[in-house]
Structure formats: C-alpha cells, structure tokens
Amino acid sequence: MNVNQSAPPVPPFGQPQPVYPGYHQSSYGGQPGSTAAPTPYGAYNGPVPGYQQTPPPGMSRAPPSSGAPPASTAQAPGGQAAHGQFGQGDVQNGPSSTVQMQRLPGSQPFGSAPLVPVVSQPAVLQPYGPPPTSAQVTAQLAGMHISGAVAPVPPTSGLGYGPPTSLASASGSFPNSGLYGSYPQGQAPPLGQAQGHPGAQPPQRSVPPQASSFTPSASGGPRMPSMTGPLLPGQSFGGPPVSQPNHISSPPPQALTPGTQMSGPPGPPPPMHSSQQPGYQLQQNGSFGPVRGPQPNYGSPYPGTATFGSQPGPPQPLPPKRLDPDAIPSPIQVIEDDRNNRGSEPFITGVRGQVPPLVTTNFLVKDQGNASPRYIRCTSYNIPCTSDMAKQAQVPLAAVIKPLARLPPEEASPYVVDHGESGPLRCNRCKAYMCPFMQFIEGGRRFQCCFCSCINDVPPQYFQHLDHTGKRVDAYDRPELSLGSYEFLATVDYCKNNKFPSPPAFIFMIDVSYNAIRSGLVRLLCEELKSLLDFLPREGGAEESAIRVGFVTYNKVLHFYNVKSSLAQPQMMVVSDVGDMFVPLLDGFLVNVNESRAVITSLLDQIPEMFADTRETETVFAPVIQAGMEALKAAECAGKLFLFHTSLPIAEAPGKLKNRDDRKLINTDKEKTLFQPQTGVYQTLAKECVAQGCCVDLFLFPNQYVDVATLSVVPQLTGGSVYKYACFQVENDQERFLSDLRRDVQKVVGFDAVMRVRTSTGIRAVDFFGAFYMSNTTDVELAGLDGDKTVTVEFKHDDRLNEESGALLQCALLYTSCAGQRRLRIHNLALNCCTQLADLYRNCETDTLINYMAKFAYRGVLNSPVKTVRDTLITQCAQILACYRKNCASPSSAGQLILPECMKLLPVYLNCVLKSDVLQPGAEVTTDDRAYVRQLVTSMDVAETNVFFYPRLLPLTKSPIENTTEPPAVRASEERLSNGDIYLLENGLNLFLWVGASVQQGVVQSLFGVSSFSQITSGLSVLPVLDNLLSKKVRGLIDGLRAQRSRYMKLIVVKQEDKLEMLFKHFLVEDKSLSGGASYVDFLCHMHKEIRQLLS
C-alpha cells in the first residue's frame, strides 16, 4: 500500500471506526488548517483519524470540550467496559540497566487490581500528588521497549550484541483477546492502547504533561518514567504502582477467545522469556545502559518531574493519542552511542565479518587483512548460507565499494607492489589476484585459490618457505599477503593495444552564448582558470602535473584554440559543421601548462572580450562532447572534459532537445518518462567516450528547464559528475561554483578504468549501481573514477555457502593514474556465513542498507510508476522486519512492534527515502531538480546518503561559546526547535542557519552585526566577519562542515515565521511533509500494521 497517498482500508477488525468529534489534524507547521485532510494512516487499528500535532512552543492547546463519551465507545455486555489485555514480556538477553515504560489498556474498569512493572533494578516509588486537572492530562503513549530499556537511553560502554528493539503498538489487539483480537459486532476497538513495554504493567494514572523527562532518583536507581496512556473519555484508573525486579516470573496469562469478556482483576504478570540464543550481546549500534534524557546533552522537551495523582479525579476527557517521539528509536541517540562506544579505539580489520563503526563515527582503521570500511561497506557482515534463507529474510546482500576513497592523513595509502615483467600473481582458473586468503601448500611450491579452489604452481621467483603454521615466512613483508588493500603496477599486457598509456588531458569547453556572457559566468571562469591550472593533480612527489590542457568555446558553432608555446597570440579555428564534427588542429591544441603559460593567459583574457557583444542565445551540446572525445582520440590519451553549459540545446545539431517539462505527468504512469533521456544520441555518444577513456564533468547554469535527465546521460555513463547552479548570479553563487570547480579539477582521478568484483564459490555479483557503463555482465567500465564515487554491487546465491570458510569478495580496479601509470588496485573482504537468521540480523548495517535501497528505488523510477517503487520499498522493509519478528524475537503480544537492535532505524530512514524529492516531490520541486538528485544519489557513498536523507540539525547557542567543538545534533523535527535559539542544518548539499524569533539581542549583534531580529536579512548567504567568540565559532563550524562534504554547501539564513522557513522545514524529516509524506511516528505505525498483516 502506498504510505503517503490514499487512506488505507478498514483495519482488520472489520468494524466501522469510531469518530471523535472536536479533534482535527493540524496542518503542516502546527497551524490549524481550514479543513483537515485525512492522514494516510487514519484507519490504523485505532479510532483517531490522525495524530494531533504538538503545538509549537508558546502555543497552548485547549483540551477537547468535555462531555459524554462518543457513542462509539466500546461497551461490553452488562455495561462493563471491555478489557484491553497486556502483552507478554520480550527478550531480556544480556545485562542492561533498564527502565520500562508503562503500557495502559485502552479501556479498563475503574479500580482494577494493579499489575506489576517489570524493571531490572528495583524502581523507586513515585510520590503521590494531587489529582491532575484536565489541562494537565497528556495524550502521550507510554514509551516503547527497546532491548529492555526506554528508547532514549545511552549504551553501556564497550561492544556487544543485544536483544531486539520492541515497541508496543498503538493497536487494538493483545494476546488475551486472541492473537489478533476481534471485537463483538457493533463494538469498536478500544481507543489506542498504549505504546509501551510488552511485559505486564500497572495501569498508571494520568500525569501532567512534563511526564516524559527522566529524572534519576535520589538513590541513583532509575525512576519509573511516568507516562500517561490514553483513557476513554469518562474513565480513569485506580491503584498504586508496585515495583518488582524483572527476574521474577509467573505463569503466562490465559488467552481469551475472541470477544470473551474478562471479569474480575487481571491475572498475574506474564514471564520474561529467555532468548532462543541465550545471552547474545548487544549489536554495535548501541546497547542501552543508564537512563538519560531523550536527547544527548540536552534536556527533554517536556521538563519537570512526574507525580502520580493520589486519587482518581472526576472523569476527564483526553486529547487524541500521540506516540511520544522520545519513546521511539532516535537516530541521534544511536549515532551518539556509537561514537561513545567505538570512536576511541582503532578498527582493526584482522577478524572476519566484523561490523565496522557507523559512518558518522570518527575512527582510525588498521588494515590487517581486510579492506577498510572506507573502501567497502556491506549491508550484512554475516550472510545466509542458503538462498532459501536469504529469500526468507529479504535483506539485500550488497556492498558499497569506493575503490579510490580518500583516507585521513593518519592512515597510509595502499602500498604499490611491483612484480616486474612477470606482473601480479593470479589464479589460473578464475583470475583472482594474490591475497591474504590464498592457501600455500606443499612446502610453499603451490597455492590453492580461496575463490575457486583451483591449485596453482608458485613461480620460482615468488617461492618462499612456510613456517610451522603453514604461513609463508615473508607474509608480513608482502602487502598482498598481509593487507586487505594494495596496488600492483600493471604490465604492458594490461594496457590498450599493448602499449603503455600517455598521461591524460583536461579540455575546458565553455558556453559563450548570451546567457553565459550576461550572467558574468564566462569572465569569472576565465579569471579563475588562470590560477587554477597551477593545481592540476600530480603523482606523489612530482614537481609539476603531467596533465596537458586544451580550450574550446561554443554556442551554435565550436571555436578551437591553438595555444602552442611558440605562438605570440592564441589562434582560433571555427567549426560550423556541427553535424559532422572533427578537430581542426592537433599540434598546439593540448599543451603543457608551464610551457604555454603566456599564450594561455592571453587567451583567457581575450575570451570574455571576444564574445562580450554576442546576441547568440542558441547552443549545441552533443557535438561539443563529440569534439572533446575526438581530440583525445587523436592525441591517443584518456582525459576529462569540463563542460560549462547554460541552456537547453535547441540549435540544429545532433542531440537537439525540445522542452518536454510537464508537471501534469507527476503521479501518472507516464511520470517515468521525465527521468528517461528524450533521445538515444547521448547513450551512443557515452559508449564511444568510455571506449576512449573520455570522462565528462558537466557544470550547468540553467535559468529554466534544461532537461537534466538527458544532459546528464554522458557524465553518468562515463563516471563523471554533474553540478547545477540554477539562476546563477556571480555575487551569490561565485563562492560555491569556484569551490566546486577547484575541488573537481584538483581531485585525483583514475582514467580508462575497468572494475571487476570476484566472489568465492556460492555467491556472485548480479547487479551494479553507480555512474559507469557496462558492455557485459561482469566488467564495470569507467572512463574516469574519482575518490567520491562508489559502485554498489548486489550479490545472489548460486550455491550453498559454508559456515567455516565464510564468503570472500575481491574488487580489482585497473586504471591509469594522473601520471599515465597503469595500475591495479585490489580490495579484499572476508564475511561470515550463518545458518541462523538471528546471526544475519545481528550483523547488518542499516546505513548501507538504506544506501542500497535508495539506489534501487531511484533506478526503479526509470521503468516503473513512482507509486509502485514506493510500495515495493515499504513491502520489502515490512518483510525484513516481519521475518525477524517471526523467527528471531521471543514470543510476545501482536500489539508490539519489535525491531532488531541494529535495524531499529530502518523505518525512520526508509521514510526519509520515501519522502525524498525523487519519490514524492513537493509543488516547488522542478523536474530538473528531481533528475539531478536522482543521478547524484546513484554514486553517493554511505556517509553521504546518511546525511542526505536524515539531515543534521545542530543547536548553536546551547553549548558554551568557548567550546568550539561541533555541538551534539538534535532530531530533525520542528518540535526540537526553540524560538530562543539558532540552529544549523546540513544535508551535504544545503546549509541553513535558522534563527528563532526570540533569540537574545546580544547573540543577534554578535552573529549578524545588527541590533535586532527584524534587521537580519532573510536569505543572507554570507555571515559578516566579526571579531567576537560567537561569530568565530559559528563561521569555523560552517567551514568545518563544508570541509567534510564533497560539494560546497551554500549557506541560507532563515528567520522564524519567514517565507523561506517552508524550504527549511522540508528538511525536518521526522515531521509530516507538505507533499504528503508521513511523519516518523505515523510511518512507524503504518510499518507495524504492514508487519502484522504479513504475520497473520
């Protein structure tokens, strides 16, 4: 079912839903809408048509008018209210200091006997206070049970695995009313059973809204968090809570037949179940330890201590139920826990199948035989032994490979091994390269291939004796026998036409049509190139770069320039026959920068003047790429074209395009055509470019539609990049453009590359995602590959795997370096194999899983309707979690959502992918924007997709000014914004500075140099350079964030309540989006419903 579009069918009970008068859904941003649209999950097993939004700070929400309960309230025969029963206890697998939150039955008769809370340390009883008033009553559901602890709890120190995350549903079915409780005809399900701990809980009284902060009690033990469960209007609970340690178990409750009425007090609490795998430890993503507030380093949004009313007051109406956002898994918490647990120790790669720290954690890697996670990350480090098991779990088996990833300065680049004329040693049968997993036998004279088991002779020059363990005595002296990543110098056999390559060339191709000249782009670019050409990439210690450069300008025709060093002035040659492109000169077109510097400088001075009075608005595009490729072919070298282009190419020429932008196609079956190229010319051209090793980087400066989907085909298939600067203005965009250009020209690139991924027997690579071309099913061909690009590979079983031997991957990349040297870069990785599903789920990496799923979906929109793609993602996620629930979690109430510890963020991250511009565009998102983002994400690495889909929101005024370290992030939700603070939000492409309306005057003065909030310029893109601590701290932080990302993030200052705020709120991904995307809370409930449908 499509999460964000149509309301779902009636819930499984088959009864009409009760309607509660007086509650309406507030619209986006917390302002009441004129007519409340039904939320996508209106019918989700409970009566309220939507969760009421928490009002923004400063607004109070009046309680609904009191009165008789709605007619649809469930009544049992005999006038009693029907019982909602409690779920059974979930696994408690390892020691973890836990505080369980209360789960309340939806309808419970007054004064029923209390059940016992399950708490691992004795809980301290809360003081009793006066009864709550109706204004104090809160509609928050009790917190969920995560690994025996409340969600916002940090990990115990050290590593380990833990029990699953579980959360009770806001659903109306519990075990004692049958597995999926049905209700007697004419009765509605009870109103929203509390989302809480699966074990037996006491009914809690209503408490004031401050209830969700957790304050440690005087004795130091955790205090019971007091959370309210929703009551039906006109009901309340009695009986004090009782505390008891969680190791006391009693017989399980008897399940009632559907519709049976319970009389008398509920029975004893259910036992805590022991795990099927006793005592497995907590997954790396963070176990839960001592109690802490919901947000690392910040107090709860609902400050204050909790008190229980001593006596139930008169019947109070309650607002509709709403899941407490602090009680569901928090990305911020998981990231913080992983940093605390795993950031201090180096990650040593010697052990097979180790899950690395998260991409958000700063850690050092020590290569001891497996490739660093900077080069390869997997969706799971323990893969199923059989294809049946893999199909059952539905967890995609994939690796995100970044073969030329840049390493931090503390880590050494891969060693280069030179085996001379004989070249690198390989297996005769499968052609795998020598690596640490090869087994030497017969005293070292032969080796057995670890990929195909073929036995090969060791050449005499490579022979070495073995020690008493069967290892070669020189193993630690040879990178290929002791390290996961290394390079071989390639012999002439690995080169085109059996001759060593020439150094590559860069050709700058500049659009000089009216738009490019008028915007100031051409002048800015020519000025920058004069100095930038001194910084072309170079090998190791080389004094100057070996790369040669050439220049072309174009509009409807092409102008080539002879910049030979012997000339006094550059010479221009015009090719006007764009239908049959050729290069009019060879000698003097590609030159060494230092030799021809004077001529190049003269040319760059003349270009803006030469075309200053142009009136030519039409441009060509395909012939420009054709010309660059032909020039490289004539020079017999690989290289890169830097294209600077401004408009839709409508001039008569091959590759001419028409404006086909049509927003009416959105949400129709023809929407996929918006992502497909409108002509096949560019695919053919890209294929020729790849054969020549010609990579294309495209810089676009559109003022209107330019058909990015078609123009980006060649960059995409040649391993290049696309940069887009809509409505380019020099004063606003020059810093971003020049920064991207400098980085793009200077970065190290491998040219004319071929990559192959080999696997050990049992699995094979079946699918590939990224910016590359494939002419067969195994070789990934890249005209160029830089340190930012990834290739994502999916694996499938073709045989049974062995638990003892595990599974091996070897990625081999053959490429030409910037100096023209042919090299092979090898990355090896060993993974574990398992026969138990629990082992698979304990060793998954959610960030990598989301990277794969996003790329899978973004490719899917080329051939399928967007709605189908979204539904496929939701179904797959539900199947993954349902399989875990069915096979790995201990038996518990169907009303609970149980998530694997290392996948507890899968729903929140998947919801972000579903709400992204490609899969669910808002009205302001252009067709070009969607095509641009689609191709960007295709080659992103795991760290980039992580922050792109779930942006970082950093409060700037909460930590002391002297503290210059990056402040801890808060969750991406409007609820987390305080109007007295300033926040920085980044997603790798955008950077916003949000200023609250009540920020202190001193802060405004220090940061913006103006005296009041009203004087701050909205949309400001540069902060003034002021000599004070706060200004230096914020500007330093912005510079630091930009340095972490592969593209320059332009700053936009957004004032609270300003029109730009809507753009900013688009990135608060835990909230409901304007385009109809679900909030995190709603999506979690929807996911739970999907899982339950699969299980039933």
Side-chain angles (χ1 to χ4, degrees):
M1 159 196 154
N2 184 350
V3 187
N4 295 320
Q5 286 169 11
S6 55
V10 181
F13 313 114
Q15 271 75 21
Q17 291 298 299
V19 176
Y20 288 83
Y23 305 140
H24 68 84
Q25 170 81 13
S26 53
S27 65
Y28 188 77
Q31 303 304 319
S34 53
T35 53
T39 69
Y41 312 125
Y44 167 70
N45 292 7
V48 273
Y51 295 99
Q52 179 130 347
Q53 304 271 39
T54 305
M59 283 174 61
S60 60
R61 180 168 66 201
S65 55
S66 55
S72 54
T73 302
Q75 287 293 322
Q80 287 175 290
H83 269 283
Q85 270 316 118
F86 300 97
Q88 290 174 261
D90 190 36
V91 199
Q92 173 75 30
N93 279 330
S96 127
S97 132
T98 60
V99 172
Q100 318 292 22
M101 291 192 162
Q102 277 42 278
R103 172 202 215 131
L104 296 175
S107 52
Q108 164 103 1
F110 175 80
S112 55
L115 291 175
V116 183
V118 185
V119 182
S120 69
Q121 303 167 11
V124 178
L125 285 177
Q126 301 283 16
Y128 292 100
T133 63
S134 75
Q136 289 174 312
V137 171
T138 151
Q140 297 186 332
L141 279 92
M144 69 184 196
H145 171 61
I146 299 192
S147 319
V150 269
V153 181
T156 47
S157 56
L159 266 181
Y161 300 103
T165 299
S166 77
L167 96 344
S169 86
S171 112
S173 49
F174 296 92
N176 290 20
S177 48
L179 181 61
Y180 296 97
S182 59
Y183 292 85
Q185 201 56 41
Q187 275 185 220
L191 165 56
Q193 269 79 1
Q195 187 104 4
H197 180 264
Q201 304 292 341
Q204 292 289 35
R205 294 189 192 78
S206 312
V207 291
Q210 294 89 336
S212 69
S213 75
F214 306 108
T215 358
S217 59
S219 69
R223 171 178 294 181
M224 289 299 293
S226 42
M227 306 287 277
T228 53
L231 305 166
L232 279 178
Q235 289 185 312
S236 61
F237 295 131
V242 184
S243 62
Q244 171 180 319
N246 77 345
H247 46 77
I248 298 175
S249 61
S250 3
Q254 298 299 309
L256 294 174
T257 50
T260 311
Q261 188 55 47
M262 256 185 87
S263 58
M272 294 300 285
H273 293 267
S274 64
S275 160
Q276 292 140 334
Q277 297 86 26
Y280 67 79
Q281 302 158 290
L282 191 71
Q283 169 61 17
Q284 279 92 326
N285 293 34
S287 62
F288 291 90
V291 177
R292 178 162 78 182
Q295 194 70 39
N297 301 354
Y298 299 116
S300 150
Y302 315 99
T305 51
T307 53
F308 288 90
S310 54
Q311 285 300 323
Q316 304 291 356
L318 276 170
K321 63 179 181 180
R322 187 183 191 287
L323 212 62
D324 173 20
D326 285 330
I328 54 182
S330 156
I332 303 303
Q333 189 69 55
V334 169
I335 288 168
E336 191 79 4
D337 293 345
D338 193 73
R339 281 180 181 160
N340 295 337
N341 284 341
R342 309 199 63 186
S344 50
E345 294 294 312
F347 178 70
I348 296 168
T349 71
V351 182
R352 182 177 85 188
Q354 274 188 108
V355 183
L358 299 183
V359 283
T360 42
T361 300
N362 279 330
F363 60 98
L364 272 181
V365 179
K366 288 198 171 149
D367 185 342
Q368 290 192 359
N370 282 295
S372 159
R374 303 191 204 291
Y375 295 123
I376 306 182
R377 275 186 178 266
C378 295
T379 52
S380 179
Y381 287 80
N382 201 332
I383 58 182
C385 280
T386 64
S387 59
D388 291 347
M389 192 172 153
K391 283 190 192 111
Q392 188 184 358
Q394 287 285 318
V395 176
L397 304 175
V400 179
I401 306 174
K402 198 175 179 183
L404 296 179
R406 283 185 308 278
L407 302 180
E410 311 83 66
E411 292 175 25
S413 294
Y415 288 96
V416 181
V417 180
D418 185 359
H419 281 315
E421 298 207 351
S422 61
L425 187 55
R426 307 173 70 175
C427 168
N428 291 331
R429 184 197 290 161
C430 70
K431 301 296 180 209
Y433 293 87
M434 180 52 68
C435 71
F437 310 122
M438 298 287 190
Q439 190 66 45
F440 287 87
I441 52 176
E442 296 180 23
R445 286 188 297 279
R446 306 174 92 184
F447 72 90
Q448 183 168 20
C449 175
C450 51
F451 293 93
C452 69
S453 304
C454 173
I455 292 178
N456 300 267
D457 290 330
V458 174
Q461 72 274 17
Y462 198 76
F463 173 79
Q464 185 54 270
H465 294 286
L466 309 184
D467 65 13
H468 63 287
T469 64
K471 261 187 117 120
R472 281 174 57 121
V473 295
D474 65 349
Y476 292 106
D477 301 330
R478 289 188 175 274
E480 74 273 21
L481 298 181
S482 56
L483 298 176
S485 301
Y486 42 87
E487 289 198 326
F488 290 120
L489 281 188
T491 58
V492 75
D493 307 337
Y494 291 87
C495 303
K496 258 188 199 159
N497 309 325
N498 274 10
K499 62 183 218 184
F500 284 110
S502 311
F506 283 178
I507 304 177
F508 296 90
M509 316 189 88
I510 305 166
D511 175 349
V512 288
S513 63
Y514 176 71
N515 280 341
I517 296 292
R518 191 196 57 182
S519 65
L521 167 65
V522 174
R523 190 174 295 279
L524 177 71
L525 174 59
C526 290
E527 205 50 50
E528 175 63 26
L529 285 177
K530 289 183 203 169
S531 54
L532 187 52
L533 294 176
D534 288 332
F535 298 98
L536 299 176
R538 64 189 78 180
E539 283 295 293
E543 283 192 15
E544 63 173 53
S545 174
I547 293 173
R548 293 168 297 162
V549 298
F551 301 88
V552 173
T553 57
Y554 67 94
N555 38 45
K556 263 188 357 189
V557 297
L558 276 76
H559 322 106
F560 292 79
Y561 297 93
N562 183 344
V563 283
K564 201 172 176 179
S565 56
S566 56
L567 296 174
Q569 284 294 322
Q571 294 172 345
M572 172 166 146
M573 297 184 179
V574 180
V575 177
S576 52
D577 182 6
V578 289
D580 182 19
M581 185 43 63
F582 67 98
V583 180
L585 76 160
L586 289 178
D587 190 30
F589 179 63
L590 294 178
V591 296
N592 174 292
V593 173
N594 284 343
E595 289 171 13
S596 296
R597 180 171 305 279
V599 194
I600 291 173
T601 303
S602 170
L603 170 68
L604 293 171
D605 282 335
Q606 288 175 39
I607 288 174
E609 306 308 327
M610 242 186 305
F611 299 98
D613 301 323
T614 185
R615 286 284 168 266
E616 185 54 74
T617 55
E618 293 188 358
T619 56
V620 294
F621 189 73
V624 184
I625 296 175
Q626 180 88 33
M629 183 196 66
E630 297 289 352
L632 293 176
K633 192 183 274 182
E636 295 187 349
C637 68
K640 186 183 265 198
L641 311 182
F642 295 84
L643 242 84
F644 304 89
H645 189 80
T646 60
S647 57
L648 192 70
I650 54 171
E652 272 315 318
K656 173 185 173 178
L657 302 179
K658 60 180 192 290
N659 187 334
R660 53 163 187 164
D661 190 15
D662 186 0
R663 290 193 63 85
K664 291 199 286 294
L665 297 182
I666 292 177
N667 294 330
T668 69
D669 283 354
K670 288 188 177 167
E671 184 172 7
K672 60 190 176 203
T673 60
L674 298 175
F675 296 109
Q676 296 165 352
Q678 58 172 288
T679 163
V681 170
Y682 292 97
Q683 268 107 329
T684 311
L685 185 55
K687 186 177 173 181
E688 293 173 26
C689 285
V690 172
Q692 184 47 49
C694 168
C695 173
V696 179
D697 278 358
L698 175 60
F699 292 80
L700 283 172
F701 305 86
N703 290 334
Q704 52 204 24
Y705 177 75
V706 288
D707 199 350
V708 173
T710 305
L711 297 191
S712 64
V713 165
V714 180
Q716 176 79 6
L717 291 177
T718 59
S721 307
V722 179
Y723 298 85
K724 181 165 158 285
Y725 310 88
C727 304
F728 179 81
Q729 292 175 305
V730 169
E731 56 279 12
N732 290 339
D733 302 296
Q734 107 174 26
E735 195 180 351
R736 179 174 155 228
F737 163 53
L738 293 181
S739 174
D740 285 343
L741 176 63
R742 286 168 194 150
R743 200 169 181 283
D744 197 54
V745 168
Q746 293 173 36
K747 65 187 172 191
V748 173
V749 181
F751 293 97
D752 213 356
V754 182
M755 182 180 118
R756 181 176 280 193
V757 178
R758 292 179 174 85
T759 52
S760 54
T761 312
I763 53 168
R764 64 196 167 90
V766 292
D767 207 352
F768 300 84
F769 304 82
F772 52 76
Y773 177 76
M774 290 186 82
S775 55
N776 58 34
T777 55
T778 54
D779 294 340
V780 174
E781 298 173 49
L782 303 121
L785 175 67
D786 60 54
D788 298 324
K789 298 281 189 311
T790 63
V791 176
T792 302
V793 186
E794 187 184 4
F795 303 98
K796 288 264 163 72
H797 287 76
D798 55 10
D799 203 349
R800 191 185 168 85
L801 292 166
N802 183 330
E803 250 184 308
E804 277 75 57
S805 53
L808 301 175
L809 316 178
Q810 184 179 78
C811 162
L813 177 80
L814 174 65
Y815 71 99
T816 301
S817 73
C818 293
Q821 198 175 52
R822 203 70 176 147
R823 292 183 177 182
L824 282 152
R825 180 170 288 203
I826 313 294
H827 298 297
N828 303 289
L829 186 63
L831 302 173
N832 286 330
C833 297
C834 58
T835 52
Q836 299 293 320
L837 282 165
D839 292 328
L840 163 69
Y841 282 101
R842 231 177 283 153
N843 291 279
C844 286
E845 239 249 310
T846 300
D847 293 324
T848 311
L849 207 52
I850 288 293
N851 179 285
Y852 165 82
M853 290 170 100
K855 289 171 181 177
F856 180 80
Y858 280 19
R859 186 177 67 185
V861 297
L862 290 172
N863 307 308
S864 308
V866 172
K867 181 184 184 308
T868 309
V869 172
R870 294 160 46 78
D871 291 347
T872 305
L873 279 184
I874 293 167
T875 305
Q876 183 172 17
C877 181
Q879 284 172 328
I880 290 171
L881 298 176
C883 174
Y884 175 82
R885 171 68 191 255
K886 184 177 174 186
N887 298 290
C888 307
S890 64
S892 59
S893 146
Q896 274 176 267
L897 172 57
I898 300 184
L899 303 170
E901 175 58 32
C902 68
M903 279 191 196
K904 65 186 178 195
L905 298 181
L906 191 60
V908 62
Y909 286 161
L910 185 73
N911 190 34
C912 296
V913 174
L914 293 170
K915 292 189 334 185
S916 63
D917 290 340
V918 173
L919 298 183
Q920 193 161 34
E924 74 294 342
V925 180
T926 67
T927 307
D928 274 349
D929 286 335
R930 296 177 74 196
Y932 175 62
V933 167
R934 196 194 76 79
Q935 63 85 30
L936 262 186
V937 168
T938 306
S939 48
M940 275 186 183
D941 71 10
V942 180
E944 287 171 322
T945 50
N946 173 273
V947 75
F948 178 74
F949 289 116
Y950 191 95
R952 281 204 294 175
L953 184 61
L954 307 172
L956 300 184
T957 43
K958 293 197 174 180
S959 54
I961 291 187
E962 312 73 63
N963 183 0
T964 54
T965 55
E966 195 177 287
V970 294
R971 291 169 71 166
S973 167
E974 196 177 349
E975 281 184 6
R976 309 288 163 174
L977 300 176
S978 146
N979 55 11
D981 286 321
I982 294 180
Y983 297 81
L984 201 55
L985 181 143
E986 66 116 358
N987 75 340
L989 298 179
N990 309 85
L991 193 58
F992 293 94
L993 189 71
W994 183 87
V995 186
S998 314
V999 170
Q1000 290 173 357
Q1001 193 181 338
V1003 171
V1004 172
Q1005 184 71 52
S1006 300
L1007 210 47
F1008 301 99
V1010 295
S1011 54
S1012 69
F1013 174 79
S1014 59
Q1015 292 174 299
I1016 299 171
T1017 311
S1018 180
L1020 192 71
S1021 60
V1022 181
L1023 290 180
V1025 178
L1026 303 172
D1027 188 15
N1028 63 65
L1029 282 175
L1030 182 64
S1031 177
K1032 286 176 183 166
K1033 171 182 170 173
V1034 173
R1035 285 182 289 112
L1037 183 61
I1038 289 171
D1039 291 343
L1041 292 177
R1042 283 173 174 159
Q1044 292 171 24
R1045 305 293 170 214
S1046 62
R1047 292 176 181 235
Y1048 183 89
M1049 298 183 289
K1050 179 180 167 183
L1051 178 72
I1052 300 176
V1053 174
V1054 177
K1055 294 163 69 176
Q1056 188 176 2
E1057 314 270 306
D1058 187 79
K1059 61 180 184 298
L1060 272 175
E1061 201 181 23
M1062 285 324 246
L1063 178 61
F1064 171 77
K1065 284 180 180 174
H1066 176 70
F1067 296 96
L1068 299 178
V1069 288
E1070 288 199 19
D1071 299 336
K1072 195 165 182 291
S1073 73
L1074 268 180
S1075 54
S1079 70
Y1080 174 21
V1081 166
D1082 288 356
F1083 184 71
L1084 201 58
C1085 291
H1086 176 69
M1087 208 69 242
H1088 186 197
K1089 179 173 159 229
E1090 294 278 317
I1091 291 166
R1092 288 180 55 182
Q1093 281 175 349
L1094 286 172
L1095 291 175
S1096 60

